[in-house]
Amino acid sequence: SAGYSKKAEELRTVSIASAVETVQKLEVKLTEFAKKHKKEIQNDPAFRKRFLEMCAPIGVDPLSSEKGFWGNVLGIGDFYYELSVKAAEVCMASRSRNGGIISVSEVRDVLMKRGTRFHISASSSKKDKCKYSEEDIIVAIGKLSKLGSGFRCVKVGKTTMIVSVPTELDSDHMEVMEIAQNCDGTLSSRPRGTVDMDEVRKTTGWTEERAKRALDLLLSKGMAWLDLHQGNELYWFPSVWKEITSGADETSVE
């Protein structure tokens, strides 16, 4: 009836107004929190990660580098922009070697070895260098991804990799790389970061055709290289090998 429809519309309007009011109150609380913990957000990668997780549900984007409120309070938008540029440079410089896929840990290692440093805001001194983590690099690449740059992060086993080419990788390709990742040279006679056809089929239960299709695409894109080892054809993954051999480093740098 008309009366029922009118009542339903009134309730919907009240509900929307209530939701908007709740979000506004949360934004105020978030603003107060950001002001109070500005130093921690700027200098502590783990604290910064938790803060961004708090912002996401209510649609607040403190990474905006525009000179608005968040830019003035925290200045972390420019930091992530600079980090994304430097990370992208590392990705592109390594494409001829790894076909456009590289672990986040390797990107961070390269930035560390270069002595790359970032300042969290214009007011920070040259001595006040921002610590950054692998998680910060993932966030920075995420910002690039939203711009349609072709950059994106994918999970290979427990490792996060950055893909900087438009190649579509499916779960089969990820699984092959995870098998290579699990070959660290200690429990297998195969060299680190490699797979062969038999190992892929044995581990996955795939047909030879399915395994070959996955390996051939990775090979054609330069993400895997074909090598002969003791008379056996091996597929070697430079990005996986590099990650294994670099070892576990600390998660932040001064």
Side-chain angles (χ1 to χ4, degrees), residues 8-225:
E9 185 61 34
E10 287 174 359
L11 288 172
R12 192 179 299 112
T13 302
V14 170
S15 179
I16 292 172
S18 177
V20 169
E21 185 181 359
T22 300
V23 169
Q24 288 173 340
K25 286 179 179 177
L26 286 172
E27 286 183 351
V28 170
K29 291 288 185 184
L30 201 60
T31 302
E32 292 171 354
F33 181 88
K35 287 179 177 177
K36 183 178 179 180
H37 298 283
K38 177 179 177 179
K39 288 290 185 184
E40 292 97 322
I41 294 169
Q42 290 182 339
N43 300 319
D44 183 344
F47 197 97
R48 184 161 57 244
K49 177 177 181 287
R50 294 306 302 271
F51 175 70
L52 293 179
E53 289 172 350
M54 288 167 57
C55 293
I58 59 174
V60 171
D61 183 12
L63 304 189
S64 173
S65 60
E66 296 173 7
K67 298 304 177 183
F69 169 75
W70 290 106
N72 292 331
V73 171
L74 297 176
I76 59 175
D78 288 337
F79 157 67
Y80 278 110
Y81 170 75
E82 291 173 18
L83 181 57
S84 69
V85 170
K86 294 297 182 184
E89 286 175 359
V90 174
C91 293
M92 290 186 287
S94 66
R95 275 181 186 169
S96 61
R97 172 173 58 82
N98 57 34
I101 186 167
I102 183 172
S103 68
V104 173
S105 60
E106 184 183 346
V107 170
R108 186 176 162 277
D109 286 345
V110 171
L111 292 176
M112 287 173 65
K113 286 171 184 174
R114 287 180 180 177
T116 306
R117 296 290 186 268
F118 301 94
H119 302 293
I120 202 75
S121 65
S123 60
S124 60
S125 66
K126 289 187 177 180
K127 292 182 180 180
D128 187 19
K129 290 157 185 165
C130 173
K131 295 179 183 179
Y132 57 97
S133 65
E134 290 181 18
E135 187 65 36
D136 283 325
I137 293 173
I138 292 170
V139 171
I141 293 299
K143 299 299 286 183
L144 278 182
S145 178
K146 289 178 182 177
L147 297 176
S149 61
F151 283 79
R152 61 200 184 280
C153 289
V154 297
K155 289 291 286 187
V156 177
K158 296 179 181 178
T159 302
T160 302
M161 298 275 195
I162 300 170
V163 180
S164 60
V165 290
T167 305
E168 287 297 326
L169 299 176
D170 61 25
S171 58
D172 283 6
H173 305 123
M174 298 296 130
E175 196 161 350
V176 168
M177 286 191 284
E178 186 174 355
I179 296 168
Q181 190 180 69
N182 291 334
C183 178
D184 60 6
T186 56
L187 300 176
S188 171
S189 59
R190 288 185 285 109
R192 294 180 172 190
T194 64
V195 299
D196 60 25
M197 178 68 76
D198 289 343
E199 182 70 13
V200 171
R201 292 189 63 192
K202 179 182 175 182
T203 304
T204 62
W206 296 344
T207 62
E208 182 175 351
E209 182 185 5
R210 181 174 177 181
K212 189 174 186 303
R213 185 168 59 245
L215 288 165
D216 282 352
L217 181 133
L218 293 166
L219 192 64
S220 69
K221 299 302 180 181
M223 294 179 181
W225 293 9

